[in-house]
Amino acid sequence: MTAGISSAHLKSTEDATPTNHLVKSTPENVIWGELFTSENQPILQIKSGDVVTIETVSHEGILPDQGDTVAFFTEAGIDEADILPDQLAVKEQIERTAPGPHVITGPIYIEDAEPGDVLEIQTMSIDYRVPYGVISNRHSKGALPGEYPLNDADIYTKVIPLDTERDIGIFRPSNERPNIDLPLKPFMGIMGVAPADPEEAVNSVPPGNYGGNIDIKHLTASTSLYLPVQVPGALFYTGDPHCAQGNGEVALTAIECSLTPTFKLIVHKNKQLESPMAETPEAWLAIGLDEDLDEAMKKAVRESLQIMEDEYGLTKQDALLFGSAAIDYEVSQVVDIVKGIHGVIPKDILQPLEQE
C-alpha cells in the first residue's frame, strides 16, 4: 500500500489535451483464457490521460458446455439478429489457449508507465452492446461445489433478456413463478495490467496484485481502480463484462453481458502500491486477495488501516476501532480461486488531510 494515493498527493503524467481512442473487439485484439504478459505486442500506444473506449466480449454463450451459440440464444427467445457477431467470431477464430473462460481485449501500452508507478483506471462510462446476459452455475464450481447444479448436471445456465432502456434484467424462474426484474449496474469484472511474473497470466480466473479478475461490483461508471505497474508500459487490458452481480458471485458468474466501457488511463509516478485499491465518489475500497478467505479479510483490513492513516491522518490503532464502527467488509467473490474481500470506507464522515 502506498502513502497518499489520492489525487491531491499524486504526481501524474496526465496529458492536458487527452486523445480519444477506440479499440474494437476483433479477433486480432483479443485472447481467450489467459492474461496478457510483457511478451504480447500492444495493439495501441497512448499517453497518460488519454481516453480509451474498448469493446468487450462475454464468454457466456460461446463456451463448449453451452452448445451451439445461435441455438443457445434463440431457444431462450433472443433474436438471431441480436446475437453479437464478435462473440461468434471469437468462437470460430480464436483458440482458447488456457483454462480461463474469459475473452480479454488488449493490451494497451501507456507511455512513461514503469514499475514503481501506479496506473489509475477511471471508468468514465459503460454502454451495452447486446440485449441479453447469461448466468451460469457449473459442476464443481461456485460457492456450493458438489451440491449444485442438481443431479450432477454439468451446467445450469439461464439467459437474461435485458431492458436496457430501464436498466433491468428479466430473470425468468423455471417453476412458472412471475418474472423478476433485476436492476442492472454494469461494471468490468476484469481490469488489469500485465503481471511481472508471466506465470501469473496463464489463467484468466484468479486475480492478483496486477488486478485482473477482481469482480468488485462497485467499480461502475465514475470510479477509479489503482494498480501497481508491473512492466514497462503497464499493458492494460479488460474483459469479463458484467451487467449485475451480487457480492460473493455465489453461482459462479454474474449476469455476463458484452459491454463497451470508456476509460481514462492515468500514470501516477513513483508511487509504490503493493496491491490493488479503488475509489468511488462515496468511498475508498480496501482490497484483500487470497486463496484463503480469512487471509483475504486480514489483507483488506490492513489496507484499510493504511488508507485511513494516509488519507485521514488516523493512527492505525484508531483506524481499527473506526473500522469496527463504520467500515463494511464485503466479500467480492468466492469463486475465482483467489477470493476477494473489499472494505468500504465511507468518505462523508471523514475529513481528508489536504482539507485541514
Side-chain angles (χ1 to χ4, degrees):
M1 168 64 198
T2 187
I5 195 72
S6 71
S7 58
H9 300 147
L10 286 168
K11 177 183 178 183
S12 79
T13 61
E14 184 175 358
D15 221 15
T17 54
T19 302
N20 296 309
H21 307 268
L22 173 65
V23 174
K24 308 287 287 185
S25 56
T26 49
E28 61 270 19
N29 290 344
V30 305
I31 56 175
W32 193 359
E34 58 187 320
L35 302 177
F36 290 104
T37 74
S38 60
E39 299 300 312
N40 291 106
Q41 189 69 24
I43 60 171
L44 177 67
Q45 182 166 324
I46 68 170
K47 296 182 181 297
S48 175
D50 280 359
V51 174
V52 186
T53 298
I54 305 176
E55 293 180 349
T56 65
V57 174
S58 176
H59 56 279
E60 286 291 329
I62 63 174
L63 293 172
D65 57 9
Q66 291 166 323
D68 179 81
T69 298
V70 173
F72 175 78
F73 285 119
T74 57
E75 289 171 6
I78 303 302
D79 289 340
E80 184 171 351
D82 287 332
I83 299 173
L84 185 67
D86 287 348
Q87 280 193 294
L88 301 176
V90 166
K91 185 171 184 177
E92 293 169 1
Q93 301 177 40
I94 299 299
E95 178 185 3
R96 187 176 164 196
T97 52
H102 308 106
V103 179
I104 313 294
T105 307
I108 296 170
Y109 186 101
I110 301 98
E111 295 177 11
D112 298 323
E114 297 286 346
D117 298 336
V118 170
L119 181 66
E120 179 181 357
I121 302 118
Q122 290 185 3
T123 301
M124 301 178 69
S125 64
I126 303 177
D127 295 321
Y128 301 103
R129 299 191 73 188
V130 292
Y132 58 84
V134 180
I135 308 175
S136 294
N137 171 229
R138 290 177 170 85
H139 192 60
S140 80
K141 300 183 184 298
L144 297 174
E147 297 181 48
Y148 290 88
L150 296 175
N151 304 316
D152 288 327
D154 290 334
I155 185 172
Y156 182 67
T157 189
K158 192 179 291 289
V159 176
I160 308 296
L162 305 182
D163 182 340
T164 56
E165 294 296 318
R166 295 192 301 140
D167 288 322
I168 292 294
I170 303 168
F171 187 95
R172 298 173 294 189
S174 58
N175 60 354
E176 299 183 357
R177 294 292 299 155
N179 290 342
I180 303 169
D181 287 350
L182 297 176
L184 300 181
K185 296 181 180 179
F187 73 99
M188 298 307 299
I190 291 179
M191 294 178 281
V193 296
D197 181 0
E199 289 300 311
E200 293 188 282
V202 298
N203 186 344
S204 64
V205 171
N209 289 343
Y210 48 84
N213 191 28
I214 56 175
D215 281 343
I216 295 178
K217 73 173 193 174
H218 297 292
L219 297 182
T220 56
S222 302
T223 65
S224 287
L225 175 65
Y226 300 93
L227 298 176
V229 174
Q230 314 270 298
V231 302
L235 296 181
F236 174 75
Y237 52 82
T238 190
D240 193 26
H242 295 165
C243 279
Q245 177 188 298
N247 281 325
E249 201 181 17
V250 293
L252 176 62
T253 82
I255 301 181
E256 312 284 327
C257 57
S258 299
L259 299 169
T260 302
T262 295
F263 303 109
K264 190 173 192 178
L265 301 178
I266 302 170
V267 176
H268 298 286
K269 300 299 294 181
N270 302 314
K271 285 293 179 181
Q272 295 295 327
L273 184 65
E274 295 179 3
S275 60
M277 61 179 290
E279 182 181 11
T280 76
E282 298 79 26
W284 289 96
L285 303 181
I287 301 169
L289 301 170
D290 200 278
E291 291 189 28
D292 184 319
L293 195 61
D294 288 340
E295 290 301 314
M297 179 66 179
K298 291 176 183 177
K299 290 178 179 180
V301 172
R302 291 187 191 109
E303 180 159 302
S304 70
L305 303 185
Q306 189 69 57
I307 293 172
M308 296 294 293
E309 182 178 67
D310 293 343
E311 298 300 323
Y312 303 106
L314 293 183
T315 67
K316 289 181 180 176
Q317 181 66 79
D318 280 349
L320 187 65
L321 300 186
F322 176 88
S324 267
I327 299 176
D328 290 323
Y329 290 91
E330 303 174 346
V331 177
S332 315
Q333 53 74 26
V334 294
V335 298
D336 294 333
I337 304 174
V338 172
K339 301 173 178 66
I341 288 180
H342 54 270
V344 183
I345 304 170
K347 293 179 177 178
D348 60 346
I349 58 176
L350 294 161
Q351 184 173 357
L353 286 171
E354 63 267 18
Q355 293 184 6
E356 294 180 347

